[in-house]
Amino acid sequence: MKKISLFILSVFAVGVTLAQTVENFDFVPTTTDNNMSVVFPAGTLNDFVGGDLMAFKTDGTPVSASSEIAEDGSGGIAAIGTDAMCGCEYLSGGDQLAFAILLDGEVIVITDVNPALTYAANTFEMISGSLDFTIDGAPVVSGCADSDYLEHWDYDAEAKSISSLDPIPNLDDGSCAILIVEGCTDVAACNLDADANVDDGSCTYAEEVYDCDGVCLNDCDFDGICDELEIAGCTDPTAFNYNPIATDANCNGLDTECIPVLEDCMNPAAENYNSIANTPDNDLCEYSPLNPWGPGGGTPENPSYITSNNMSVLFPVENLGVWEGVELVEGDIIFAVYETARLENELVGYSAVSGIQMAGAVAWTGAQVGMPVFGSDNNQDNGFQEFETLVWLVERADGVVYNANLTYATAGFDGTYQDGEFVIISSVSIGAPLYDGCMDADNSNFNPLATSDDGSCAEAYSIGCTDADKVNFAGVGANPTHDNAENFGDAFSQNLGLNLLTGETSLSGAAANVSDDSMCQDQVEGCTDPMASNYDPIATQNDA
């Protein structure tokens, strides 16, 4: 027995709806003395070959035996009418007929029989109009109705993906052939499934520069470090340019020439300054005492810095209305010096005088004295340049040279060299020794002219990322917590110290106090969950 439970028939014909439970397609009606033959011509039921065709009243009452639909898509039934002897409720004249097909357990309702059929005893009807078919109230769409097969879907062979057909087949026509096999279909993935025909998003990939087994794609020196990750540098610990983080000294065309250490005096202010040295040793530097009367053996009677340009300076000790006080003692030599060299580093904003030369001097006698200050000849470097700031020194009887601060009584004078100008001094005060200062070239207050370290060195340079919004922030209090930060586990591992004399950098190991934005590592958005299929090993910020 073929049981169809809760079968909903929906027939839209002449505005009548059929909705009734069909219990049995094996129904055999009682024979009466009248019936109506209904024939569906060949081709009208092609999609339902082998199914059972049956007629019903619009209330769902069966009124015919079922008959099998032929190979040519034709079918026919005898619709039974009621007579006086049968005691049955079959068709009466004028009753409307409805039809249904049972095929592979599916009940297909034939709707929109056009024109609609009404019962007339002992007549013959050939269906000639249009037919529509529904399953569970939905139009019949034949095709592969099994969702486990590719034919049931709209299949993108290139992307190995499926999407719903529109409309979705609800009557299986036997076309299902290719079973869906889900898996990784990307030939570039490490877990390619050659049998898969639908990609399920499970593909995994090798890390950049590695193969699927974690082996370098390129490793010319077979050291286990991929060529793309090699760090160029000298690996000889005894060399001047030894790089403790370098991994490659002789492979991949990298420039890794090691430079021998040449230790010597590297202070430009020293007499024995060695311009090709690469490692400074201030203890080797030799300094000749400054001669206020000029280089090359100048004397008070014959200074060696005389040029064709000068300005006049007066120290008016007898004019008490101008002269406010003096820290000079008889025998002190007052002299002016101009800049001949400057040590600079743009990265850290450092700039300091590293060479000076005399351009005028006078010996203090306790009485009014005057002196010329000489300017350069035709912009040569043999005296003050026009409007260059005057720098004053005092050499005392013990040979120690001190910085001096002078104030000017001449109205409007700004303290710069001006050819032909005449100025009057109102006071002189003695400062710190010229040659005392910080002698550590790694410090921000390094004094290139110093020959005696006075313990004033403040803070060594440490260059790094000082932007607290960056993932590898390396300033005071830094503690990068993301394991993809370049300095994870050692906040100051990337920070660099700087030697002002050589310009060379080396690892400082200290919190950054000078910012270098180029060293900052931006956040990289992506999936940071290692268990996710789209895990991004270089991501530093989860984008959900």
Side-chain angles (χ1 to χ4, degrees), residues 464-495 509-512 519-523 540:
C465 179
T466 60
D467 186 344
D469 293 330
K470 300 300 183 180
V471 70
N472 66 331
F473 167 60
V476 175
N479 182 26
T481 57
H482 197 286
D483 56 8
N484 285 336
E486 294 172 356
N487 58 342
F488 177 72
D490 187 353
F492 309 139
S493 62
Q494 293 182 316
N495 295 348
M519 297 175 68
C520 290
Q521 179 187 3
D522 289 328
Q523 294 278 8
T540 63

PDB file of all heavy atoms in Angstrom, residues 464-495 509-512 519-523 540:
ATOM      1  N   GLY A 464      64.630  55.116  18.883  1.00  0.00           N
ATOM      2  CA  GLY A 464      63.645  54.058  18.666  1.00  0.00           C
ATOM      3  C   GLY A 464      62.268  54.635  18.444  1.00  0.00           C
ATOM      4  O   GLY A 464      62.103  55.837  18.212  1.00  0.00           O
ATOM      5  N   CYS A 465      61.257  53.791  18.510  1.00  0.00           N
ATOM      6  CA  CYS A 465      59.875  54.225  18.311  1.00  0.00           C
ATOM      7  C   CYS A 465      59.315  54.742  19.627  1.00  0.00           C
ATOM      8  O   CYS A 465      59.194  53.991  20.595  1.00  0.00           O
ATOM      9  CB  CYS A 465      59.012  53.067  17.803  1.00  0.00           C
ATOM     10  SG  CYS A 465      57.277  53.535  17.553  1.00  0.00           S
ATOM     11  N   THR A 466      58.991  56.031  19.675  1.00  0.00           N
ATOM     12  CA  THR A 466      58.448  56.626  20.891  1.00  0.00           C
ATOM     13  C   THR A 466      56.962  56.932  20.781  1.00  0.00           C
ATOM     14  O   THR A 466      56.411  57.636  21.618  1.00  0.00           O
ATOM     15  CB  THR A 466      59.212  57.929  21.241  1.00  0.00           C
ATOM     16  OG1 THR A 466      59.062  58.862  20.159  1.00  0.00           O
ATOM     17  CG2 THR A 466      60.683  57.646  21.467  1.00  0.00           C
ATOM     18  N   ASP A 467      56.309  56.394  19.738  1.00  0.00           N
ATOM     19  CA  ASP A 467      54.869  56.583  19.545  1.00  0.00           C
ATOM     20  C   ASP A 467      54.137  55.470  20.289  1.00  0.00           C
ATOM     21  O   ASP A 467      54.170  54.309  19.895  1.00  0.00           O
ATOM     22  CB  ASP A 467      54.534  56.552  18.051  1.00  0.00           C
ATOM     23  CG  ASP A 467      53.075  56.884  17.771  1.00  0.00           C
ATOM     24  OD1 ASP A 467      52.266  56.831  18.723  1.00  0.00           O
ATOM     25  OD2 ASP A 467      52.744  57.194  16.612  1.00  0.00           O
ATOM     26  N   ALA A 468      53.459  55.844  21.366  1.00  0.00           N
ATOM     27  CA  ALA A 468      52.801  54.841  22.211  1.00  0.00           C
ATOM     28  C   ALA A 468      51.658  54.136  21.501  1.00  0.00           C
ATOM     29  O   ALA A 468      51.175  53.095  21.971  1.00  0.00           O
ATOM     30  CB  ALA A 468      52.284  55.499  23.491  1.00  0.00           C
ATOM     31  N   ASP A 469      51.208  54.662  20.362  1.00  0.00           N
ATOM     32  CA  ASP A 469      50.120  54.025  19.616  1.00  0.00           C
ATOM     33  C   ASP A 469      50.629  52.933  18.681  1.00  0.00           C
ATOM     34  O   ASP A 469      49.831  52.213  18.077  1.00  0.00           O
ATOM     35  CB  ASP A 469      49.348  55.066  18.793  1.00  0.00           C
ATOM     36  CG  ASP A 469      48.583  56.047  19.675  1.00  0.00           C
ATOM     37  OD1 ASP A 469      48.181  55.640  20.775  1.00  0.00           O
ATOM     38  OD2 ASP A 469      48.405  57.203  19.254  1.00  0.00           O
ATOM     39  N   LYS A 470      51.949  52.820  18.526  1.00  0.00           N
ATOM     40  CA  LYS A 470      52.508  51.814  17.634  1.00  0.00           C
ATOM     41  C   LYS A 470      52.732  50.506  18.388  1.00  0.00           C
ATOM     42  O   LYS A 470      52.967  50.499  19.600  1.00  0.00           O
ATOM     43  CB  LYS A 470      53.832  52.298  17.027  1.00  0.00           C
ATOM     44  CG  LYS A 470      53.704  53.580  16.203  1.00  0.00           C
ATOM     45  CD  LYS A 470      52.754  53.417  15.020  1.00  0.00           C
ATOM     46  CE  LYS A 470      52.709  54.685  14.183  1.00  0.00           C
ATOM     47  NZ  LYS A 470      51.792  54.558  13.016  1.00  0.00           N
ATOM     48  N   VAL A 471      52.679  49.416  17.646  1.00  0.00           N
ATOM     49  CA  VAL A 471      52.735  48.097  18.281  1.00  0.00           C
ATOM     50  C   VAL A 471      54.097  47.816  18.901  1.00  0.00           C
ATOM     51  O   VAL A 471      54.208  47.041  19.853  1.00  0.00           O
ATOM     52  CB  VAL A 471      52.358  47.007  17.263  1.00  0.00           C
ATOM     53  CG1 VAL A 471      53.425  46.823  16.206  1.00  0.00           C
ATOM     54  CG2 VAL A 471      52.065  45.689  17.951  1.00  0.00           C
ATOM     55  N   ASN A 472      55.163  48.464  18.391  1.00  0.00           N
ATOM     56  CA  ASN A 472      56.497  48.231  18.952  1.00  0.00           C
ATOM     57  C   ASN A 472      57.012  49.469  19.688  1.00  0.00           C
ATOM     58  O   ASN A 472      58.212  49.740  19.686  1.00  0.00           O
ATOM     59  CB  ASN A 472      57.483  47.825  17.854  1.00  0.00           C
ATOM     60  CG  ASN A 472      57.737  48.957  16.853  1.00  0.00           C
ATOM     61  OD1 ASN A 472      56.869  49.791  16.621  1.00  0.00           O
ATOM     62  ND2 ASN A 472      58.918  48.996  16.268  1.00  0.00           N
ATOM     63  N   PHE A 473      56.126  50.207  20.346  1.00  0.00           N
ATOM     64  CA  PHE A 473      56.524  51.347  21.181  1.00  0.00           C
ATOM     65  C   PHE A 473      57.662  50.912  22.096  1.00  0.00           C
ATOM     66  O   PHE A 473      57.597  49.885  22.758  1.00  0.00           O
ATOM     67  CB  PHE A 473      55.325  51.820  21.993  1.00  0.00           C
ATOM     68  CG  PHE A 473      55.669  52.773  23.099  1.00  0.00           C
ATOM     69  CD1 PHE A 473      56.288  53.988  22.820  1.00  0.00           C
ATOM     70  CD2 PHE A 473      55.374  52.461  24.418  1.00  0.00           C
ATOM     71  CE1 PHE A 473      56.608  54.863  23.848  1.00  0.00           C
ATOM     72  CE2 PHE A 473      55.684  53.337  25.444  1.00  0.00           C
ATOM     73  CZ  PHE A 473      56.306  54.544  25.154  1.00  0.00           C
ATOM     74  N   ALA A 474      58.748  51.723  22.108  1.00  0.00           N
ATOM     75  CA  ALA A 474      59.957  51.327  22.846  1.00  0.00           C
ATOM     76  C   ALA A 474      60.475  52.445  23.729  1.00  0.00           C
ATOM     77  O   ALA A 474      61.660  52.506  24.020  1.00  0.00           O
ATOM     78  CB  ALA A 474      61.037  50.888  21.862  1.00  0.00           C
ATOM     79  N   GLY A 475      59.588  53.339  24.158  1.00  0.00           N
ATOM     80  CA  GLY A 475      59.992  54.399  25.065  1.00  0.00           C
ATOM     81  C   GLY A 475      59.904  53.955  26.512  1.00  0.00           C
ATOM     82  O   GLY A 475      59.755  52.767  26.822  1.00  0.00           O
ATOM     83  N   VAL A 476      59.987  54.921  27.431  1.00  0.00           N
ATOM     84  CA  VAL A 476      59.925  54.616  28.857  1.00  0.00           C
ATOM     85  C   VAL A 476      58.601  53.933  29.177  1.00  0.00           C
ATOM     86  O   VAL A 476      57.539  54.374  28.765  1.00  0.00           O
ATOM     87  CB  VAL A 476      60.070  55.908  29.690  1.00  0.00           C
ATOM     88  CG1 VAL A 476      59.893  55.604  31.175  1.00  0.00           C
ATOM     89  CG2 VAL A 476      61.436  56.539  29.447  1.00  0.00           C
ATOM     90  N   GLY A 477      58.665  52.820  29.888  1.00  0.00           N
ATOM     91  CA  GLY A 477      57.465  52.085  30.282  1.00  0.00           C
ATOM     92  C   GLY A 477      56.955  51.125  29.235  1.00  0.00           C
ATOM     93  O   GLY A 477      55.917  50.497  29.432  1.00  0.00           O
ATOM     94  N   ALA A 478      57.667  50.978  28.123  1.00  0.00           N
ATOM     95  CA  ALA A 478      57.199  50.097  27.045  1.00  0.00           C
ATOM     96  C   ALA A 478      57.209  48.644  27.495  1.00  0.00           C
ATOM     97  O   ALA A 478      58.126  48.197  28.178  1.00  0.00           O
ATOM     98  CB  ALA A 478      58.079  50.257  25.809  1.00  0.00           C
ATOM     99  N   ASN A 479      56.165  47.919  27.088  1.00  0.00           N
ATOM    100  CA  ASN A 479      56.081  46.479  27.366  1.00  0.00           C
ATOM    101  C   ASN A 479      55.155  45.857  26.332  1.00  0.00           C
ATOM    102  O   ASN A 479      54.017  45.511  26.632  1.00  0.00           O
ATOM    103  CB  ASN A 479      55.548  46.228  28.774  1.00  0.00           C
ATOM    104  CG  ASN A 479      55.511  44.745  29.106  1.00  0.00           C
ATOM    105  OD1 ASN A 479      56.274  43.960  28.562  1.00  0.00           O
ATOM    106  ND2 ASN A 479      54.603  44.353  29.993  1.00  0.00           N
ATOM    107  N   PRO A 480      55.634  45.718  25.080  1.00  0.00           N
ATOM    108  CA  PRO A 480      54.767  45.195  24.011  1.00  0.00           C
ATOM    109  C   PRO A 480      54.199  43.828  24.377  1.00  0.00           C
ATOM    110  O   PRO A 480      54.930  42.934  24.791  1.00  0.00           O
ATOM    111  CB  PRO A 480      55.722  45.095  22.810  1.00  0.00           C
ATOM    112  CG  PRO A 480      56.800  46.091  23.109  1.00  0.00           C
ATOM    113  CD  PRO A 480      56.970  46.052  24.595  1.00  0.00           C
ATOM    114  N   THR A 481      52.872  43.702  24.237  1.00  0.00           N
ATOM    115  CA  THR A 481      52.202  42.476  24.657  1.00  0.00           C
ATOM    116  C   THR A 481      51.807  41.590  23.489  1.00  0.00           C
ATOM    117  O   THR A 481      51.411  40.451  23.716  1.00  0.00           O
ATOM    118  CB  THR A 481      50.940  42.822  25.469  1.00  0.00           C
ATOM    119  OG1 THR A 481      50.076  43.653  24.664  1.00  0.00           O
ATOM    120  CG2 THR A 481      51.310  43.561  26.738  1.00  0.00           C
ATOM    121  N   HIS A 482      51.878  42.102  22.273  1.00  0.00           N
ATOM    122  CA  HIS A 482      51.487  41.266  21.138  1.00  0.00           C
ATOM    123  C   HIS A 482      52.698  40.502  20.604  1.00  0.00           C
ATOM    124  O   HIS A 482      53.742  41.082  20.349  1.00  0.00           O
ATOM    125  CB  HIS A 482      50.857  42.098  20.020  1.00  0.00           C
ATOM    126  CG  HIS A 482      50.099  41.245  19.062  1.00  0.00           C
ATOM    127  ND1 HIS A 482      50.714  40.432  18.145  1.00  0.00           N
ATOM    128  CD2 HIS A 482      48.775  41.044  18.908  1.00  0.00           C
ATOM    129  CE1 HIS A 482      49.818  39.767  17.463  1.00  0.00           C
ATOM    130  NE2 HIS A 482      48.623  40.121  17.900  1.00  0.00           N
ATOM    131  N   ASP A 483      52.530  39.185  20.451  1.00  0.00           N
ATOM    132  CA  ASP A 483      53.688  38.379  20.080  1.00  0.00           C
ATOM    133  C   ASP A 483      54.149  38.611  18.646  1.00  0.00           C
ATOM    134  O   ASP A 483      55.184  38.087  18.234  1.00  0.00           O
ATOM    135  CB  ASP A 483      53.418  36.892  20.306  1.00  0.00           C
ATOM    136  CG  ASP A 483      52.174  36.404  19.572  1.00  0.00           C
ATOM    137  OD1 ASP A 483      51.622  37.179  18.775  1.00  0.00           O
ATOM    138  OD2 ASP A 483      51.764  35.255  19.801  1.00  0.00           O
ATOM    139  N   ASN A 484      53.423  39.406  17.874  1.00  0.00           N
ATOM    140  CA  ASN A 484      53.891  39.759  16.540  1.00  0.00           C
ATOM    141  C   ASN A 484      54.569  41.122  16.504  1.00  0.00           C
ATOM    142  O   ASN A 484      54.982  41.582  15.435  1.00  0.00           O
ATOM    143  CB  ASN A 484      52.735  39.732  15.528  1.00  0.00           C
ATOM    144  CG  ASN A 484      52.332  38.315  15.172  1.00  0.00           C
ATOM    145  OD1 ASN A 484      53.123  37.406  15.293  1.00  0.00           O
ATOM    146  ND2 ASN A 484      51.106  38.130  14.748  1.00  0.00           N
ATOM    147  N   ALA A 485      54.663  41.784  17.648  1.00  0.00           N
ATOM    148  CA  ALA A 485      55.445  43.016  17.704  1.00  0.00           C
ATOM    149  C   ALA A 485      56.915  42.664  17.513  1.00  0.00           C
ATOM    150  O   ALA A 485      57.404  41.656  18.042  1.00  0.00           O
ATOM    151  CB  ALA A 485      55.244  43.719  19.055  1.00  0.00           C
ATOM    152  N   GLU A 486      57.628  43.464  16.740  1.00  0.00           N
ATOM    153  CA  GLU A 486      59.024  43.161  16.428  1.00  0.00           C
ATOM    154  C   GLU A 486      59.897  43.114  17.678  1.00  0.00           C
ATOM    155  O   GLU A 486      60.937  42.455  17.682  1.00  0.00           O
ATOM    156  CB  GLU A 486      59.563  44.189  15.437  1.00  0.00           C
ATOM    157  CG  GLU A 486      58.881  44.120  14.071  1.00  0.00           C
ATOM    158  CD  GLU A 486      59.290  45.251  13.160  1.00  0.00           C
ATOM    159  OE1 GLU A 486      60.054  46.118  13.634  1.00  0.00           O
ATOM    160  OE2 GLU A 486      58.842  45.286  12.016  1.00  0.00           O
ATOM    161  N   ASN A 487      59.482  43.828  18.729  1.00  0.00           N
ATOM    162  CA  ASN A 487      60.290  43.840  19.954  1.00  0.00           C
ATOM    163  C   ASN A 487      59.575  43.134  21.107  1.00  0.00           C
ATOM    164  O   ASN A 487      59.816  43.422  22.280  1.00  0.00           O
ATOM    165  CB  ASN A 487      60.634  45.277  20.354  1.00  0.00           C
ATOM    166  CG  ASN A 487      59.385  46.134  20.569  1.00  0.00           C
ATOM    167  OD1 ASN A 487      58.300  45.790  20.115  1.00  0.00           O
ATOM    168  ND2 ASN A 487      59.544  47.247  21.256  1.00  0.00           N
ATOM    169  N   PHE A 488      58.697  42.185  20.773  1.00  0.00           N
ATOM    170  CA  PHE A 488      57.981  41.430  21.795  1.00  0.00           C
ATOM    171  C   PHE A 488      58.983  40.657  22.661  1.00  0.00           C
ATOM    172  O   PHE A 488      59.891  40.009  22.165  1.00  0.00           O
ATOM    173  CB  PHE A 488      57.004  40.451  21.138  1.00  0.00           C
ATOM    174  CG  PHE A 488      56.277  39.585  22.121  1.00  0.00           C
ATOM    175  CD1 PHE A 488      55.292  40.112  22.940  1.00  0.00           C
ATOM    176  CD2 PHE A 488      56.585  38.238  22.244  1.00  0.00           C
ATOM    177  CE1 PHE A 488      54.633  39.311  23.849  1.00  0.00           C
ATOM    178  CE2 PHE A 488      55.927  37.432  23.155  1.00  0.00           C
ATOM    179  CZ  PHE A 488      54.947  37.977  23.959  1.00  0.00           C
ATOM    180  N   GLY A 489      58.801  40.755  23.972  1.00  0.00           N
ATOM    181  CA  GLY A 489      59.676  40.037  24.900  1.00  0.00           C
ATOM    182  C   GLY A 489      60.905  40.812  25.316  1.00  0.00           C
ATOM    183  O   GLY A 489      61.522  40.497  26.323  1.00  0.00           O
ATOM    184  N   ASP A 490      61.285  41.815  24.525  1.00  0.00           N
ATOM    185  CA  ASP A 490      62.438  42.655  24.862  1.00  0.00           C
ATOM    186  C   ASP A 490      62.162  44.032  24.287  1.00  0.00           C
ATOM    187  O   ASP A 490      62.506  44.328  23.151  1.00  0.00           O
ATOM    188  CB  ASP A 490      63.725  42.069  24.284  1.00  0.00           C
ATOM    189  CG  ASP A 490      64.971  42.819  24.750  1.00  0.00           C
ATOM    190  OD1 ASP A 490      64.830  43.869  25.415  1.00  0.00           O
ATOM    191  OD2 ASP A 490      66.090  42.357  24.447  1.00  0.00           O
ATOM    192  N   ALA A 491      61.512  44.869  25.081  1.00  0.00           N
ATOM    193  CA  ALA A 491      60.965  46.135  24.586  1.00  0.00           C
ATOM    194  C   ALA A 491      62.001  47.028  23.927  1.00  0.00           C
ATOM    195  O   ALA A 491      61.694  47.763  22.993  1.00  0.00           O
ATOM    196  CB  ALA A 491      60.288  46.886  25.740  1.00  0.00           C
ATOM    197  N   PHE A 492      63.242  46.962  24.385  1.00  0.00           N
ATOM    198  CA  PHE A 492      64.265  47.896  23.897  1.00  0.00           C
ATOM    199  C   PHE A 492      65.254  47.230  22.943  1.00  0.00           C
ATOM    200  O   PHE A 492      66.320  47.789  22.666  1.00  0.00           O
ATOM    201  CB  PHE A 492      65.010  48.517  25.083  1.00  0.00           C
ATOM    202  CG  PHE A 492      64.089  49.095  26.138  1.00  0.00           C
ATOM    203  CD1 PHE A 492      64.372  48.920  27.490  1.00  0.00           C
ATOM    204  CD2 PHE A 492      62.944  49.787  25.779  1.00  0.00           C
ATOM    205  CE1 PHE A 492      63.527  49.445  28.468  1.00  0.00           C
ATOM    206  CE2 PHE A 492      62.086  50.307  26.748  1.00  0.00           C
ATOM    207  CZ  PHE A 492      62.381  50.133  28.087  1.00  0.00           C
ATOM    208  N   SER A 493      64.919  46.062  22.441  1.00  0.00           N
ATOM    209  CA  SER A 493      65.868  45.289  21.637  1.00  0.00           C
ATOM    210  C   SER A 493      66.206  45.947  20.307  1.00  0.00           C
ATOM    211  O   SER A 493      67.248  45.658  19.723  1.00  0.00           O
ATOM    212  CB  SER A 493      65.303  43.891  21.369  1.00  0.00           C
ATOM    213  OG  SER A 493      64.085  43.981  20.627  1.00  0.00           O
ATOM    214  N   GLN A 494      65.346  46.826  19.812  1.00  0.00           N
ATOM    215  CA  GLN A 494      65.597  47.463  18.522  1.00  0.00           C
ATOM    216  C   GLN A 494      66.243  48.846  18.673  1.00  0.00           C
ATOM    217  O   GLN A 494      66.693  49.418  17.677  1.00  0.00           O
ATOM    218  CB  GLN A 494      64.295  47.628  17.742  1.00  0.00           C
ATOM    219  CG  GLN A 494      63.661  46.325  17.304  1.00  0.00           C
ATOM    220  CD  GLN A 494      62.402  46.579  16.498  1.00  0.00           C
ATOM    221  OE1 GLN A 494      61.578  47.424  16.851  1.00  0.00           O
ATOM    222  NE2 GLN A 494      62.243  45.870  15.408  1.00  0.00           N
ATOM    223  N   ASN A 495      66.262  49.398  19.873  1.00  0.00           N
ATOM    224  CA  ASN A 495      66.723  50.764  20.062  1.00  0.00           C
ATOM    225  C   ASN A 495      68.225  50.882  19.812  1.00  0.00           C
ATOM    226  O   ASN A 495      69.005  49.983  20.142  1.00  0.00           O
ATOM    227  CB  ASN A 495      66.384  51.255  21.464  1.00  0.00           C
ATOM    228  CG  ASN A 495      64.879  51.355  21.665  1.00  0.00           C
ATOM    229  OD1 ASN A 495      64.116  51.270  20.709  1.00  0.00           O
ATOM    230  ND2 ASN A 495      64.450  51.535  22.904  1.00  0.00           N
ATOM    231  N   GLY A 509      69.900  49.020  24.120  1.00  0.00           N
ATOM    232  CA  GLY A 509      69.309  48.256  25.212  1.00  0.00           C
ATOM    233  C   GLY A 509      68.597  49.109  26.232  1.00  0.00           C
ATOM    234  O   GLY A 509      68.269  48.642  27.322  1.00  0.00           O
ATOM    235  N   ALA A 510      68.347  50.381  25.900  1.00  0.00           N
ATOM    236  CA  ALA A 510      67.702  51.297  26.838  1.00  0.00           C
ATOM    237  C   ALA A 510      66.445  51.881  26.199  1.00  0.00           C
ATOM    238  O   ALA A 510      66.250  51.840  24.985  1.00  0.00           O
ATOM    239  CB  ALA A 510      68.664  52.415  27.227  1.00  0.00           C
ATOM    240  N   ALA A 511      65.573  52.437  27.032  1.00  0.00           N
ATOM    241  CA  ALA A 511      64.347  53.059  26.543  1.00  0.00           C
ATOM    242  C   ALA A 511      64.682  54.184  25.562  1.00  0.00           C
ATOM    243  O   ALA A 511      65.636  54.937  25.768  1.00  0.00           O
ATOM    244  CB  ALA A 511      63.522  53.599  27.703  1.00  0.00           C
ATOM    245  N   ALA A 512      63.904  54.281  24.510  1.00  0.00           N
ATOM    246  CA  ALA A 512      64.154  55.295  23.491  1.00  0.00           C
ATOM    247  C   ALA A 512      63.873  56.684  24.045  1.00  0.00           C
ATOM    248  O   ALA A 512      62.860  56.919  24.694  1.00  0.00           O
ATOM    249  CB  ALA A 512      63.279  55.034  22.263  1.00  0.00           C
ATOM    250  N   MET A 519      61.203  53.594  12.453  1.00  0.00           N
ATOM    251  CA  MET A 519      61.388  52.356  13.200  1.00  0.00           C
ATOM    252  C   MET A 519      60.075  51.846  13.790  1.00  0.00           C
ATOM    253  O   MET A 519      60.041  50.756  14.368  1.00  0.00           O
ATOM    254  CB  MET A 519      62.415  52.558  14.318  1.00  0.00           C
ATOM    255  CG  MET A 519      63.805  52.919  13.824  1.00  0.00           C
ATOM    256  SD  MET A 519      64.969  53.281  15.169  1.00  0.00           S
ATOM    257  CE  MET A 519      65.157  51.660  15.923  1.00  0.00           C
ATOM    258  N   CYS A 520      59.000  52.630  13.657  1.00  0.00           N
ATOM    259  CA  CYS A 520      57.721  52.240  14.254  1.00  0.00           C
ATOM    260  C   CYS A 520      57.020  51.200  13.396  1.00  0.00           C
ATOM    261  O   CYS A 520      57.023  51.288  12.171  1.00  0.00           O
ATOM    262  CB  CYS A 520      56.819  53.461  14.431  1.00  0.00           C
ATOM    263  SG  CYS A 520      57.377  54.603  15.724  1.00  0.00           S
ATOM    264  N   GLN A 521      56.416  50.235  14.043  1.00  0.00           N
ATOM    265  CA  GLN A 521      55.695  49.143  13.376  1.00  0.00           C
ATOM    266  C   GLN A 521      54.203  49.412  13.479  1.00  0.00           C
ATOM    267  O   GLN A 521      53.634  49.444  14.560  1.00  0.00           O
ATOM    268  CB  GLN A 521      56.045  47.804  14.036  1.00  0.00           C
ATOM    269  CG  GLN A 521      55.329  46.605  13.417  1.00  0.00           C
ATOM    270  CD  GLN A 521      55.582  45.330  14.202  1.00  0.00           C
ATOM    271  OE1 GLN A 521      56.240  45.355  15.231  1.00  0.00           O
ATOM    272  NE2 GLN A 521      55.040  44.234  13.739  1.00  0.00           N
ATOM    273  N   ASP A 522      53.548  49.597  12.327  1.00  0.00           N
ATOM    274  CA  ASP A 522      52.111  49.845  12.315  1.00  0.00           C
ATOM    275  C   ASP A 522      51.349  48.582  12.697  1.00  0.00           C
ATOM    276  O   ASP A 522      51.821  47.456  12.520  1.00  0.00           O
ATOM    277  CB  ASP A 522      51.643  50.306  10.930  1.00  0.00           C
ATOM    278  CG  ASP A 522      52.106  51.714  10.601  1.00  0.00           C
ATOM    279  OD1 ASP A 522      52.218  52.525  11.543  1.00  0.00           O
ATOM    280  OD2 ASP A 522      52.339  52.003   9.423  1.00  0.00           O
ATOM    281  N   GLN A 523      50.129  48.805  13.215  1.00  0.00           N
ATOM    282  CA  GLN A 523      49.238  47.681  13.451  1.00  0.00           C
ATOM    283  C   GLN A 523      48.862  47.038  12.116  1.00  0.00           C
ATOM    284  O   GLN A 523      48.672  47.722  11.125  1.00  0.00           O
ATOM    285  CB  GLN A 523      47.962  48.158  14.158  1.00  0.00           C
ATOM    286  CG  GLN A 523      48.189  48.688  15.567  1.00  0.00           C
ATOM    287  CD  GLN A 523      48.282  47.586  16.604  1.00  0.00           C
ATOM    288  OE1 GLN A 523      48.331  46.414  16.256  1.00  0.00           O
ATOM    289  NE2 GLN A 523      48.323  47.943  17.870  1.00  0.00           N
ATOM    290  N   THR A 540      48.585  41.981  13.922  1.00  0.00           N
ATOM    291  CA  THR A 540      48.823  42.416  15.297  1.00  0.00           C
ATOM    292  C   THR A 540      47.557  42.937  15.950  1.00  0.00           C
ATOM    293  O   THR A 540      47.546  43.206  17.140  1.00  0.00           O
ATOM    294  CB  THR A 540      49.881  43.540  15.333  1.00  0.00           C
ATOM    295  OG1 THR A 540      49.368  44.681  14.617  1.00  0.00           O
ATOM    296  CG2 THR A 540      51.179  43.081  14.699  1.00  0.00           C
TER     297      THR A 540
END
